[in-house]
Amino acid sequence: MSQIRHSAKLRHGVPVPIYYQLQELILKDIENGNLLPGAMIPTEQQLVKSYGVSIGTVKKAILNLVNQGYLYRIQGKGTFVTGTTLRRESLRYYRLLDDFDGQESNLAVKPIGIRKVPGFVPANRFLQIRSDQPLFELKRIFLMDGTPAVFSISYLPQNLFKKLSDYPSIEFEKKPLYATIEEKYGIPTINNLELIRACFPDTEAAGVLGIPMSLPVLYLEMLAFTYRRRPYEYRRAYCITSAKKIFREY
Amino acid sequence: MSQIRHSAKLRHGVPVPIYYQLQELILKDIENGNLLPGAMIPTEQQLVKSYGVSIGTVKKAILNLVNQGYLYRIQGKGTFVTGTTLRRESLRYYRLLDDFDGQESNLAVKPIGIRKVPGFVPANRFLQIRSDQPLFELKRIFLMDGTPAVFSISYLPQNLFKKLSDYPSIEFEKKPLYATIEEKYGIPTINNLELIRACFPDTEAAGVLGIPMSLPVLYLEMLAFTYRRRPYEYRRAYCITSAKKIFREY
DNA sequence: GCTCATTTGTTCGTATGTATC
DNA sequence: TGATACATACGAACAAATGAG
């Protein structure tokens, strides 16, 4: 029960609005794990009492966090912590379409190996960890209508995901990687960054995708971030685009 | 002076909240051009009087439109209509970086021709106009540090941009296309859609970019939308990515 | 199916502070 | 400095959705 008197934490008479201070306090509880994705935060009335502010101020703080995507509310139920904002992996870059108004194809994921590898440049630099820190390497194939379309190699810091290699790989077929990471390790994906280029596949990618090395492919490098812009995954992917195309909206 | 009694336009006792109805009325004025980008909308008090609602309701309607990017407010001055939300063309797809944390390179635009062309498939279908409607074709080169990096071909409906070919092409060098379109035609760019693939350049693209036809390039197709998801530009672009890479964040 | 306590959603309004010109 | 406009903080009253009993 959070009936504690937190009022001391809010400072009046400073140029920072009360609602903003409250907002940041709630956000901090989300980021440090006191409030996990899916958890219900205190009700408006509880916040009114424990912080000694008016209902309007509480509403403003909460609605701001809702607009920022950290919380969602259900009338009659409560206010809850949002999980990963990238709801479908397909919206990240695996939505392959023939056309602007085309339909999304049937997509399946096939893991083809997970192992521990030594850290290397540039992965460890992108992940902001020491270059001698080991990594998990996860290789996967994305199949469109049964045909290999994307060959993806993910690198994750071992210290963040200690039990990942013991994790049954069947799980990776059922759901996107970010969903597994959020559920098992409490790391929600907030945003990501991509580098895109056109090139020829290397020997391994050509073999896995079943294409000649003379066929141009999209080469994507991706960094996935959690709260406070902390990177947790570095990914390389080779995408066949000769028939289908990569789609993106923003 | 907008001291008209608009109150009749707001219906009470319906399941649609008052603030939302007001919000939509303001939005409609923006979309149909009654309120142009940069224009100041009526003050809170004027809206309170003319619509007969409380200050809180007015604030909620306006703040929603601010959150959605249609309006911005300056304390002490007023509330204004936002223009194009894509502030820098470089954020769309021309931000070429060597690395995730690299710096943006010096980018210049060089128009190499504008002309009238007959409509064609798929451009006219994407632009949602009849296939016999003519188009403007605008060809441009994007130079990075003086070196050609992107060859871009834009198609615009002639009926929307009647005077575009008379427009001094020097203007296109100074500012992004979307800025010109907003300023001269009052069409703000709200969002866009892209298709991306890797392929070889055609003869023209290879010539313009000064690369061999055997070098893989990114081939982008883009649709730019204004209010209500109305498409106004269809663009094709060839991007050299052998040295630099395409960057994107979202 | 209904009632009731809980929780959020909407609408109202006042008072005061702060920024702009 | 004054008038104007937005920002903050307060809080009341009622509506609507949820879930438990």
Side-chain angles (χ1 to χ4, degrees):
Chain A
M1 198 60 57
S2 204
Q3 295 298 80
I4 316 153
R5 296 267 300 151
H6 288 121
S7 19
K9 293 191 178 179
L10 297 177
R11 293 180 303 170
H12 294 71
V14 293
V16 184
I18 305 292
Y19 75 85
Y20 187 80
Q21 295 182 43
L22 176 53
Q23 181 180 324
E24 288 296 297
L25 286 175
I26 296 170
L27 186 52
K28 195 166 294 182
D29 273 343
I30 295 172
E31 288 172 344
N32 66 21
N34 289 345
L35 291 171
L36 295 174
M40 179 175 165
I41 75 166
T43 67
E44 292 178 351
Q45 289 305 331
Q46 286 173 336
L47 291 170
V48 163
K49 285 173 191 163
S50 61
Y51 286 99
V53 294
S54 81
I55 180 78
T57 302
V58 166
K59 276 181 183 294
K60 177 137 191 164
I62 289 177
L63 289 179
N64 280 344
L65 291 174
V66 169
N67 283 328
Q68 290 171 27
Y70 289 103
L71 301 174
Y72 64 93
R73 319 191 83 186
I74 301 177
Q75 187 177 147
K77 284 188 76 174
T79 305
F80 306 89
V81 178
T82 309
T84 292
T85 56
L86 303 167
R87 288 278 159 214
R88 301 187 304 161
E89 183 136 10
S90 58
L91 278 183
R92 285 164 76 173
Y93 57 75
Y94 294 128
R95 185 166 174 185
L96 303 154
L97 296 181
D98 266 323
D99 221 333
F100 284 116
D101 44 9
Q103 294 302 304
E104 190 163 352
S105 300
N106 180 26
L107 187 68
V109 186
K110 181 181 173 187
I112 57 175
I114 182 166
R115 57 172 184 161
K116 300 179 181 182
V117 297
F120 64 95
V121 175
N124 287 46
R125 184 165 56 79
F126 290 151
L127 293 170
Q128 294 173 23
I129 56 179
R130 290 221 319 274
S131 55
D132 57 359
Q133 296 291 305
L135 302 170
F136 282 113
E137 180 197 74
L138 170 64
K139 293 186 178 177
R140 292 178 296 169
I141 303 176
F142 292 75
L143 306 157
M144 277 188 54
D145 302 322
T147 306
V150 178
F151 172 47
S152 154
I153 311 167
S154 295
Y155 295 97
L156 306 156
Q158 277 196 31
N159 58 330
L160 270 181
F161 306 96
K162 295 210 184 303
K163 291 170 189 146
L164 195 59
S165 60
D166 307 329
Y167 200 73
S169 70
I170 184 70
E171 288 292 337
F172 293 119
E173 300 185 41
K174 293 180 184 167
K175 54 184 74 173
L177 177 60
Y178 77 85
T180 303
I181 286 174
E182 173 170 336
E183 290 170 20
K184 298 292 170 183
Y185 300 93
I187 301 179
T189 302
I190 299 305
N191 65 343
N192 59 13
L193 215 77
E194 284 177 0
L195 297 174
I196 311 176
R197 55 185 293 189
C199 66
F200 296 113
D202 61 15
T203 311
E204 181 186 21
V208 166
L209 293 173
I211 54 173
M213 290 183 67
S214 59
L215 180 74
V217 293
L218 277 193
Y219 175 66
L220 304 175
E221 292 179 275
M222 189 199 77
L223 266 181
F225 295 87
T226 183
Y227 296 126
R228 299 289 185 202
R229 213 175 173 71
R230 281 200 307 269
Y232 76 86
E233 180 200 2
Y234 169 59
R235 186 186 299 193
R236 295 171 167 177
Y238 298 85
C239 307
I240 300 177
T241 63
S242 52
K244 306 283 185 169
K245 300 165 190 174
I246 297 285
F247 164 93
R248 173 172 294 111
E249 178 176 9
Y250 55 122
Chain B
M1 197 62 55
S2 204
Q3 294 297 80
I4 316 152
R5 296 266 301 152
H6 289 122
S7 19
K9 294 191 177 177
L10 297 178
R11 294 179 303 171
H12 293 70
V14 293
V16 184
I18 305 292
Y19 74 84
Y20 187 79
Q21 296 181 44
L22 176 54
Q23 181 179 324
E24 288 296 298
L25 286 176
I26 296 171
L27 186 53
K28 196 166 293 178
D29 273 342
I30 296 173
E31 289 171 345
N32 67 18
N34 289 346
L35 291 171
L36 294 174
M40 179 174 164
I41 75 165
T43 68
E44 293 178 351
Q45 289 305 331
Q46 285 173 338
L47 292 170
V48 163
K49 285 173 192 164
S50 61
Y51 287 99
V53 294
S54 81
I55 178 80
T57 302
V58 167
K59 273 182 181 294
K60 178 140 189 161
I62 289 177
L63 288 180
N64 280 345
L65 292 174
V66 169
N67 282 329
Q68 290 169 26
Y70 289 104
L71 300 174
Y72 64 94
R73 319 192 81 186
I74 301 176
Q75 185 177 152
K77 283 190 77 174
T79 305
F80 307 89
V81 178
T82 309
T84 292
T85 56
L86 303 166
R87 287 280 158 212
R88 300 186 304 161
E89 183 138 11
S90 59
L91 278 183
R92 285 164 74 175
Y93 57 75
Y94 294 128
R95 184 166 173 184
L96 303 153
L97 296 182
D98 265 322
D99 221 333
F100 284 116
D101 45 8
Q103 293 302 304
E104 190 164 352
S105 300
N106 180 25
L107 187 68
V109 186
K110 182 181 173 187
I112 57 174
I114 182 165
R115 58 172 184 163
K116 300 179 182 183
V117 297
F120 64 96
V121 175
N124 288 44
R125 184 164 56 80
F126 291 150
L127 292 170
Q128 295 173 21
I129 56 178
R130 290 221 317 275
S131 56
D132 58 359
Q133 296 292 304
L135 303 170
F136 282 114
E137 180 195 74
L138 171 64
K139 292 186 178 177
R140 292 177 297 169
I141 304 176
F142 292 74
L143 306 157
M144 279 186 55
D145 301 323
T147 307
V150 178
F151 172 47
S152 153
I153 311 167
S154 295
Y155 296 97
L156 306 156
Q158 277 196 32
N159 58 329
L160 269 182
F161 306 96
K162 294 210 186 303
K163 292 169 188 146
L164 195 58
S165 60
D166 306 329
Y167 201 72
S169 68
I170 184 70
E171 288 292 337
F172 294 118
E173 300 184 41
K174 293 180 185 167
K175 54 184 74 172
L177 177 59
Y178 76 84
T180 301
I181 285 174
E182 172 170 336
E183 290 169 21
K184 297 294 170 183
Y185 299 94
I187 301 179
T189 302
I190 299 305
N191 66 341
N192 59 13
L193 214 78
E194 286 177 358
L195 296 174
I196 311 176
R197 54 185 295 190
C199 65
F200 296 112
D202 61 14
T203 312
E204 181 186 22
V208 166
L209 293 172
I211 55 172
M213 290 181 68
S214 59
L215 180 73
V217 294
L218 277 193
Y219 175 66
L220 304 175
E221 291 178 276
M222 190 199 77
L223 266 181
F225 296 87
T226 183
Y227 297 124
R228 298 291 185 202
R229 211 174 176 74
R230 281 201 306 271
Y232 75 86
E233 180 200 3
Y234 168 59
R235 186 186 300 192
R236 295 171 166 177
Y238 298 86
C239 306
I240 300 177
T241 64
S242 51
K244 306 283 185 169
K245 301 165 190 175
I246 296 288
F247 165 94
R248 175 173 291 110
E249 178 175 8
Y250 54 125

